[in-house]
Amino acid sequence: MCKIMIINGPNLNLLGSRQPEIYGSQGFDAYLSELRDKYPNCELHYLQSNHEGDLVEAIQAANEGFSGIVLNPAAYTHTSVAIADAILAIQTPVIEVHISNPKAREPFRHVSYVEAYVIGTISGLGLKGYELAVGFFAEEGRKGS
Ligand code: DQA
């Protein structure tokens, strides 16, 4: 079974119009529907929130029955002990995704509070990073079944 939770943090509801030179011009809903077409055998669940606690709750809720979590904590990447602790508290593997490459940007973006607790990080490849992460979990699921 391929059931994946995709979680986007603050300001990612503005994808498409937010700094398109950095984040591109496609909105996430359109991208997600392409992703669902590409992975018809995967259940792709999705939550975006601008609130830290919602992200913590979504991570906790994906502890049961999910093959993986694809997480872009956005600005909370660089500040959130609570999100790092939520990842540590669950069994479901997490892949951290960033659309841009935070390590090539301002120094405050160079620190990730979550990177030590995820199985891997994909950065700087645009929205394609989400597809690569979903593809990884889909492939792992096939191996496991
Ligand atoms: C981001 C990078 C973060 O530094 C930033 O705060 C974001 C988006 C990315 O996907 O490139 O909101 O996570």
Side-chain angles (χ1 to χ4, degrees), residues 92-105:
T92 309
V94 178
I95 298 179
E96 177 186 3
V97 169
H98 298 285
I99 299 162
S100 68
N101 179 0
K103 303 276 195 264
R105 299 177 63 191

Side-chain angles (χ1 to χ4, degrees), residues 42-62:
C42 283
E43 246 181 65
L44 298 182
H45 295 243
Y46 176 60
L47 175 103
Q48 187 280 327
S49 177
N50 296 322
H51 303 280
E52 188 175 14
D54 289 348
L55 303 174
V56 168
E57 283 174 5
I59 292 166
Q60 290 180 6

